[in-house]
């Protein structure tokens, strides 16, 4: 691993691009390798065992890039799998998005003694209670309201935006109980949701802070790389953005480029069986 090695960003689909975009703006010279497990999405309705296996396979596949850091840019995978990923790959530096998200929400809650913090996320993230724990550590007296919003990942992956009628209806229904409880902060506990941030802000009004983990997560990556002496020392001409997906979706590069604000080369298609083979080969190597 050298300062020129890439930062790997992993998600089930497009959502982790919100984190990749923040990393690009905080660390503009870095090489980024992005992996979207589009064939097996959504992760949010699957079990911990399944999601952990998927992400282990992906890391096993990408480790030939010698990443200097891996960001699990998916709340579901962070909530369900982070400790076992660190245990499986002790030589790799791996971080997630839950702690940075909770830190950002706790800061946004300000001085209020008993702020009301709403968290929306996938079913698996909500069930794991990972956000509840991470928020309690920082704001023990906060009133925390958790709500799963399972329709949002599929409709965002479809490329529907905030002006779409179905999107507006789903978001309005999901937010209703949180609005009634007068939340001070809405934490977007899924990396897909910032793609609709404008809609959340519009529906909640300026009095509610709408927070996601992307910026704090990118700053966390910078701090880790700086502590390890691995910040890229070249200039922007070295940077690159390489994408891998498990389903050859024609929409991916179009949506990715639109969202990131720069042209993304067509992604490399990794068939899921290549991931299985890679993972079984690694297990076999460990066993002998
Ligand atoms: N972006 C993932 C997250 O942050 C979405 C999970 C999914 O595929 O359901 O949880």
């Amino acid at each position: 691993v050298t300062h020129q090695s890439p930062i790997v960003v992993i998600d089930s689909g497009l959502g982790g691009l919100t984190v990749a975009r923040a990393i690009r703006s905080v660390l503009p010279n870095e090489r980024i390798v992005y992996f979207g497990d589009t064939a097996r999405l959504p992760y949010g309705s699957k079990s911990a065992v399944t999601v952990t296996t998927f992400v282990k396979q992906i890391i096993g596949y990408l480790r030939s890039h010698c990443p200097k850091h891996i960001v699990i840019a998916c709340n579901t995978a962070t909530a369900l799998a982070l400790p076992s990923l660190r245990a499986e790959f002790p030589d790799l530096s791996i971080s997630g998005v839950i702690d940075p998200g909770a830190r950002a929400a706790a800061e946004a809650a300000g001085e209020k003694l008993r702020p009301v913090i709403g968290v929306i996320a996938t079913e698996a993230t909500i069930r794991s209670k990972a956000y509840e724990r991470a928020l309690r550590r920082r704001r023990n007296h906060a009133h925390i309201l958790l709500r799963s919003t399972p329709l949002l990942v599929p409709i965002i992956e479809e490329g529907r935006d905030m002006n779409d009628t179905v999107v507006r209806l789903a978001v309005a229904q999901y937010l209703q109980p949180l609005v009634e409880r007068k939340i001070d902060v809405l934490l977007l506990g899924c990396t897909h949701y910032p793609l609709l941030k404008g809609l959340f802000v519009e529906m909640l009004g300026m009095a509610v802070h709408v927070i996601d983990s992307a910026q704090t997560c990118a700053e966390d990556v910078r701090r880790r790389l700086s502590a390890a002496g691995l910040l890229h020392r070249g200039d922007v001409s070295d940077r690159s953005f390489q994408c891998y997906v498990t389903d050859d979706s024609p929409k991916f590069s179009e949506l990715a480029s639109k969202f990131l604000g720069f042209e993304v080369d067509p992604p490399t298609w990794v068939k899921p069986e290549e991931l299985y083979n890679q993972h079984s080969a690694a297990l076999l190597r460990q066993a002998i």
Side-chain angles (χ1 to χ4, degrees):
V1 172
T2 70
H3 71 96
Q4 285 165 313
S5 304
I7 299 168
V8 159
V9 180
I10 298 172
D11 182 42
S12 59
L14 287 166
L17 291 172
T18 58
V19 176
R21 181 172 68 171
I23 293 176
R24 174 49 77 84
S25 92
V26 169
L27 297 164
N29 304 344
E30 300 287 345
R31 294 174 51 211
I32 297 176
V33 171
Y34 186 83
F35 196 104
D37 196 2
T38 44
R40 303 186 293 188
L41 142 160
Y43 281 5
S45 53
K46 299 194 169 71
S47 69
V49 176
T50 302
V51 172
T52 306
T53 306
F54 288 172
V55 185
K56 281 184 182 170
Q57 290 168 348
I58 295 168
I59 296 177
Y61 179 82
L62 290 176
R63 62 177 308 160
S64 59
H65 287 271
C66 296
K68 57 181 171 184
H69 187 70
I70 296 177
V71 183
I72 308 300
C74 171
N75 290 266
T76 310
T78 302
L80 303 182
L82 188 58
S84 57
L85 297 174
R86 286 181 168 149
E88 174 104 358
F89 303 100
D91 54 323
L92 297 177
S93 163
I94 307 177
S95 65
V97 281
I98 301 253
D99 264 330
R103 190 169 348 121
E107 275 165 23
E111 298 299 309
K112 209 165 175 179
L113 201 60
R114 214 168 140 63
V116 186
I117 303 178
V119 181
I120 54 170
T122 66
E123 286 169 295
T125 301
I126 297 294
R127 222 181 310 121
S128 76
K129 299 209 171 11
Y131 265 116
E132 213 167 333
R133 284 195 297 272
L135 285 167
R136 285 263 168 262
R137 275 202 298 279
R138 291 174 175 85
R139 297 297 295 262
N140 196 21
H141 298 294
H143 196 66
I144 300 168
L145 303 171
L146 303 162
R147 182 144 171 74
S148 65
T149 48
L151 285 178
L152 298 186
V153 168
I155 56 184
I156 290 168
E157 284 287 331
E158 250 190 51
R160 292 178 189 249
D161 63 19
M162 63 181 273
N163 300 316
D164 184 279
T165 317
V166 176
V167 173
R168 297 183 77 85
L169 192 64
V171 170
Q173 292 245 343
Y174 283 141
L175 290 184
Q176 180 65 22
L178 300 175
V179 170
E180 280 166 13
R181 304 286 291 277
K182 298 202 172 13
I183 49 170
D184 300 297
V185 176
L186 177 70
L187 173 52
L188 306 182
C190 170
T191 52
H192 279 74
Y193 302 170
L195 291 160
L196 299 176
K197 193 164 185 173
L199 183 56
F200 293 114
V201 172
E202 181 196 312
M203 287 192 176
L204 292 169
M206 296 311 275
V208 179
H209 300 273
V210 179
I211 299 296
D212 67 75
S213 53
Q215 187 64 23
T216 24
C217 179
E219 280 153 15
D220 181 58
V221 173
R222 175 170 55 189
R223 193 181 45 74
R224 286 168 190 272
L225 293 180
S226 156
L230 286 173
L231 284 173
H232 196 286
R233 294 197 279 276
D235 57 31
V236 287
S237 63
D238 292 337
R239 74 181 181 192
S240 59
F241 197 97
Q242 197 182 352
C243 285
Y244 291 86
V245 291
T246 47
D247 190 31
D248 192 16
S249 148
K251 272 190 303 206
F252 188 90
S253 23
E254 186 195 317
L255 291 174
S257 305
K258 191 169 126 200
F259 176 67
L260 289 165
F262 54 87
E263 224 27 69
V264 176
D265 289 337
T268 304
W269 181 20
V270 184
K271 299 197 181 74
E273 62 259 32
E274 288 181 54
L275 296 176
Y276 295 120
N277 296 342
Q278 188 76 25
H279 191 56
S280 355
L283 289 178
L284 204 63
R285 272 199 302 278
Q286 265 173 22
I288 49 179

